């Protein structure tokens, strides 16, 4: 990612980092992308305030709390965010609150009256990228707790003429 072109914004997207329980440090590729990002979005489950503070060192951080986060984080962070980056509106939620629906449906329901261009969520640890009726739906997966997924992952949101998202997949390091 290159910060020189101001007409394009790059945002690193994370969720379910579970620090320090699952990993003590970011992998080198993720560290490079965090350092080069214009901003960072985290969709919950840092676990500790120290993990939150560590991520803040890389740049502007927009974050929500998740079900695994400590009480202090739940008091510090909102349960959902509606962010505006230029002409794009991005909703962020962990996706754990609610009953009887999938994590994705709970995330979408959280923003049904907000008209976002993109909804980012976590909780399931399952990387998802799809478009539905002009809405980009994105779960970055987890860079530290892949569960049953073949690879660890995070995401890069690119905002320029249009809004796009891509996963970055990697193996154990």
């Amino acid at each position: 990612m290159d910060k020189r072109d101001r007409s394009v914004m790059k945002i690193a997207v994370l969720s379910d980092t579970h620090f320090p329980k699952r990993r003590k440090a970011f992998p080198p590729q993720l560290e490079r992308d965090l350092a080069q990002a214009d901003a960072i979005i985290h969709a919950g489950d840092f676990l500790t305030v120290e993990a939150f503070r560590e991520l803040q060192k890389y740049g502007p951080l927009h974050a929500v709390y998740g079900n695994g986060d400590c009480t202090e984080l739940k008091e510090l962070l909102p349960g959902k965010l509606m962010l505006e980056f230029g002409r794009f509106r991005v909703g962020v939620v962990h996706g754990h609150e609610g009953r009887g629906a999938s994590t994705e449906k709970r995330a979408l329901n959280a923003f049904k009256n907000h008209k976002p261009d993109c909804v980012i969520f976590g909780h399931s640890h399952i990387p998802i990228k799809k478009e539905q009726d002009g809405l980009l739906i994105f779960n970055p997966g987890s860079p530290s707790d892949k569960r049953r997924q073949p690879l660890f992952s995070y995401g890069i949101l690119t905002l320029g003429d249009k809004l796009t998202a891509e996963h970055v997949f990697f193996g154990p390091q």
Side-chain angles (χ1 to χ4, degrees):
M1 288 187 292
D2 189 347
K3 287 186 177 183
R4 287 173 281 176
D5 184 356
R6 286 290 160 216
S7 63
V8 175
M9 185 175 202
K10 298 278 188 174
I11 300 173
V13 182
L14 304 167
S15 188
D16 301 287
T17 47
H18 293 263
F19 276 34
K21 184 178 178 183
R22 293 290 181 188
R23 190 182 282 266
K24 307 280 188 256
F26 294 119
Q29 181 178 3
L30 176 53
E31 280 191 333
R32 281 190 302 275
D33 283 343
L34 289 169
Q36 294 176 359
D38 295 300
I40 301 161
I41 293 174
H42 194 291
D45 273 7
F46 293 91
L47 295 192
T48 66
V49 173
E50 293 77 20
F52 170 77
R53 300 275 184 241
E54 183 64 28
L55 200 52
Q56 281 184 309
K57 293 176 184 177
Y58 289 94
L61 174 60
H62 307 278
V64 297
Y65 68 80
N67 60 301
D69 286 322
C70 68
T71 301
E72 189 175 351
L73 278 174
K74 289 178 180 177
E75 293 171 354
L76 178 69
L77 300 174
K80 72 177 182 177
L81 283 173
M82 179 57 75
L83 304 168
E84 293 193 18
F85 298 103
R87 63 186 174 93
F88 298 107
R89 292 172 45 90
V90 178
V92 183
V93 66
H94 188 60
H96 66 287
E97 294 181 338
R99 301 180 68 98
S102 68
T103 302
E104 180 181 325
K105 287 181 181 172
R106 289 192 301 265
L108 294 174
N109 285 339
F111 298 100
K112 64 182 173 192
N113 298 320
H114 297 276
K115 306 272 190 262
D117 298 293
C118 175
V119 170
I120 294 171
F121 66 100
H123 190 55
S124 68
H125 298 223
I126 300 170
I128 294 172
K129 179 182 85 170
K130 63 183 177 182
E131 198 166 312
Q132 179 177 305
D133 300 323
L135 173 67
L136 178 60
I137 302 165
F138 192 70
N139 184 326
S142 174
S144 57
D145 187 3
K146 64 183 179 69
R147 293 192 178 163
R148 293 172 297 282
Q149 302 305 306
L151 296 169
F152 297 98
S153 63
Y154 61 96
I156 303 294
L157 200 64
T158 303
L159 300 95
D161 291 334
K162 61 182 182 172
L163 183 150
T164 61
E166 295 300 325
H167 286 102
V168 178
F169 294 101
F170 61 97
Q173 300 192 11

